[in-house]
Amino acid sequence: MDQPDQTARDAARAQESALLSRIRDRDERAVEELYARYSGPLYSLAYQVTGSDRFAQDVVQEVFIAVWKDAGRFDPARGALGPWLFSLARHKAIDLVRRESTVRKRTVDVDLAFEKAPDDVDQEAWLRVQRERVRAAVAELPENQRVALELAFFAGLTHVEVAEQLGIPLGTAKTRIRTALLKLREIIGTSLAEAEPPDSRWITETSSS
Amino acid sequence: MDHRDLQQLAAGEALEDVGRLERVVFAVHRRTCASCRTLRADLDRVTFDLSLIAPARRPPVALQGSVIAAIRATAPAGPAPGAQASAVGDAVIGAAVRRWQVLGGAAMGVAAVLAIVAAGLGITTVRLEQDLQRSVAALEDASSQLTAQAAAVTVALDPAHVTVALETEPLAAGAAAFVVYRPGSADGYLMATDLPPTAAGQVYQLWIADAAGVHPLGTFTHDGDGAFVAPFGVVLDAATAAMITLEPSGGATGQPGPEVVFGEL
């Protein structure tokens, strides 16, 4: 589904807006719906960054508290809800990692590019294809850029720490990491955030492992 | 100015690893660069895609109950202007640019209409002249702000530039402010983000201190919308400190008013 129709995307956006509107109206069931939809992938990301079940749970909880306290911070004009939630989760996870050196030690070895998710996770073919597309895009990056990006993105290392870990100058580390992200933008093309099926069911599938 | 440097800043920001100055520089730049606003949004989507390839894990069943219990114990937040501005940065910036464009267009429209009225009908009234002056002044303010922002970004990207971070006072809690200047020239700017808006009847005023004393410089209003840039317009090489104070319209007449940001150069 590389070219999903605009109507489907609009419908998904409208559904998200309605959900957040209910949360602003203090509707706990809306939080439950949001949780059912996103808790799995958010937890997965938080676990990947922190390397800790406890910290991953803390991150997920903090994300939902942040949404509950101030759902108005989400601006639909900037994009879909998913990227915003993931951004919140990653930000909170990185904060935790940077505060907790013990967590840091467990997360500096990152190897995602060729790691397979459990078979029973990706039951839906569409999602499997899309995720493989992103993995393939990451694999297309030059090795030195890929490694630097993974350390920065999934291990929550600062640019300074990535430079130390790889034994390269800070400026080189910054360039590798940032260039990698810019290249991914070109390689991936249509984002999963945009190629969203109408009912957003796919994202729930990632939490069903 | 190398636009690739700014694109790198966009990537750094998407990865949440940019310095405060870099953040301010990019915030200022993207107000006037549509392609970088698009790039920044695209990079958010790329990070979203990356997030999804983290190996899938199932959260503990008990977590949902903990989340619901936590939100029940959490009071909703009141309006948080700073956070709101940060969360909707792109939209705000875009809106600001559009507003300036509209403002510019409106001002020119008003000016044209007034000119036609004045020339065609020979009618000149104090009211019309005042409207015209206000419109032209607004257009000039918008134009000078855009010019200052572009110039400040150019200086910030110059390898020879000097940067000094300023301390924010309680009046500007949560703001970030820097002085960037090119030594030996009058190319010096104060760049800030998240400065609170100036109230009606108040202005921000720039000051510098040097061996000869403390010198008031220009005054500025700020609507609290996105980045704030103010030119010093003087050579800063001999300056020992810079600050912004809050003053009544027209600026300080004697001693500086309450400090908003301050830093030794």
Side-chain angles (χ1 to χ4, degrees):
Chain A
M1 193 183 295
D2 284 342
Q3 300 293 331
D5 67 279
Q6 185 63 38
T7 304
R9 285 206 300 269
D10 289 346
R13 293 281 176 88
Q15 190 182 37
E16 289 177 344
S17 292
L19 198 57
L20 284 178
S21 178
R22 287 170 53 202
I23 290 174
R24 281 193 291 273
D25 292 339
R26 326 316 293 164
D27 180 350
E28 286 182 12
R29 290 188 64 85
V31 176
E32 290 171 358
E33 288 176 33
L34 195 69
Y35 184 91
R37 184 175 295 182
Y38 286 104
S39 60
L42 290 173
Y43 176 83
S44 301
L45 174 65
Y47 190 96
Q48 182 63 41
V49 173
T50 64
S52 155
D53 167 66
R54 182 166 65 87
F55 286 125
Q57 289 190 54
D58 288 347
V59 167
V60 172
Q61 183 162 309
E62 284 184 29
V63 167
F64 282 97
I65 288 173
V67 173
W68 177 254
K69 286 174 70 176
D70 199 1
R73 287 180 60 192
F74 171 66
D75 176 14
R78 284 196 67 187
L81 178 61
W84 182 62
L85 293 174
F86 275 69
S87 175
L88 281 178
R90 187 167 168 277
H91 180 76
K92 292 178 184 302
I94 287 173
D95 272 356
L96 263 178
V97 166
R98 290 177 183 172
R99 286 201 305 265
E100 302 286 340
S101 59
T102 53
V103 176
R104 155 89 64 256
K105 291 187 176 72
R106 299 181 53 189
T107 56
V108 291
D109 295 323
V110 179
D111 184 11
L112 284 164
F114 304 105
E115 187 167 354
K116 295 284 187 184
D119 288 340
D120 62 345
V121 171
D122 298 332
Q123 294 301 313
E124 192 187 334
W126 181 88
L127 175 60
R128 189 164 53 244
V129 169
Q130 296 299 327
R131 294 178 72 183
E132 285 306 320
R133 189 160 67 92
V134 177
R135 286 197 179 95
V138 172
E140 274 189 52
L141 295 172
E143 177 76 5
N144 57 10
Q145 291 179 12
R146 181 181 64 77
V147 170
L149 178 65
E150 288 177 350
L151 287 172
F153 191 85
F154 289 106
L157 299 191
T158 64
H159 289 8
V160 172
E161 290 166 333
V162 171
E164 288 172 355
Q165 171 98 356
L166 298 178
I168 57 179
L170 174 60
T172 304
K174 279 187 178 182
T175 302
R176 285 184 187 175
I177 295 164
R178 295 172 179 184
T179 302
L181 196 67
L182 292 166
K183 277 188 181 172
L184 277 182
R185 178 203 187 208
E186 296 171 8
I187 298 170
I188 292 175
T190 303
S191 164
L192 272 67
E194 292 301 317
E196 192 172 18
D199 61 359
S200 298
R201 189 175 49 210
W202 60 274
I203 200 163
T204 308
E205 296 295 328
T206 64
S207 62
S208 62
S209 62
Chain B
M1 181 194 315
D2 187 340
H3 204 244
R4 284 175 302 184
D5 292 337
L6 293 160
Q7 291 172 332
Q8 291 265 318
L9 290 188
E13 193 177 79
L15 291 165
E16 301 184 40
D17 201 348
V18 288
R20 291 204 303 171
L21 174 63
E22 289 180 318
R23 191 178 297 280
V24 172
V25 167
F26 185 69
V28 170
H29 170 70
R30 73 176 177 186
R31 287 185 80 143
T32 56
C33 180
S35 71
C36 278
R37 288 197 296 275
T38 301
L39 171 65
R40 184 64 186 79
D42 285 354
L43 292 176
D44 273 345
R45 287 189 279 272
V46 172
T47 58
F48 171 75
D49 290 345
L50 276 176
S51 300
L52 285 179
I53 66 170
R57 291 179 182 276
R58 181 199 295 250
V61 174
L63 180 57
Q64 181 171 0
S66 300
V67 167
I68 297 301
I71 66 168
R72 282 177 181 158
T74 305
Q84 186 86 0
S86 172
V88 300
D90 283 339
V92 166
I93 287 164
V97 170
R98 286 193 296 277
R99 192 172 64 239
W100 286 345
Q101 289 167 343
V102 170
L103 182 60
M108 285 187 284
V110 169
V113 168
L114 293 178
I116 291 169
V117 168
L121 302 178
I123 299 171
T124 55
T125 65
V126 172
R127 175 67 181 273
L128 282 174
E129 285 180 4
Q130 288 174 339
D131 286 348
L132 178 59
Q133 286 167 358
R134 275 197 295 270
S135 298
V136 170
L139 177 59
E140 287 173 350
D141 281 350
S143 175
S144 65
Q145 183 63 203
L146 284 171
T147 302
Q149 288 177 3
V153 170
T154 301
V155 172
L157 293 175
D158 183 340
H161 86 275
V162 174
T163 302
V164 180
L166 303 182
E167 296 295 324
T168 54
E169 303 297 332
L171 277 175
F178 298 85
V179 172
V180 293
Y181 67 97
R182 193 180 279 131
S185 79
D187 297 333
Y189 298 88
L190 187 140
M191 306 171 72
T193 54
D194 297 323
L195 271 185
T198 46
Q202 290 186 319
V203 293
Y204 287 137
Q205 182 153 24
L206 271 183
W207 301 74
I208 59 167
D210 59 20
V214 178
H215 311 285
L217 301 174
T219 61
F220 308 87
T221 56
H222 180 48
D223 62 6
D225 199 1
F228 172 79
V229 173
F232 283 94
V234 297
V235 177
L236 294 176
D237 295 14
T240 54
M243 68 175 173
I244 294 179
T245 59
L246 190 61
E247 308 288 351
S249 293
T253 54
Q255 292 297 309
E259 293 178 11
V260 179
V261 296
F262 175 88
E264 293 182 5
L265 302 181

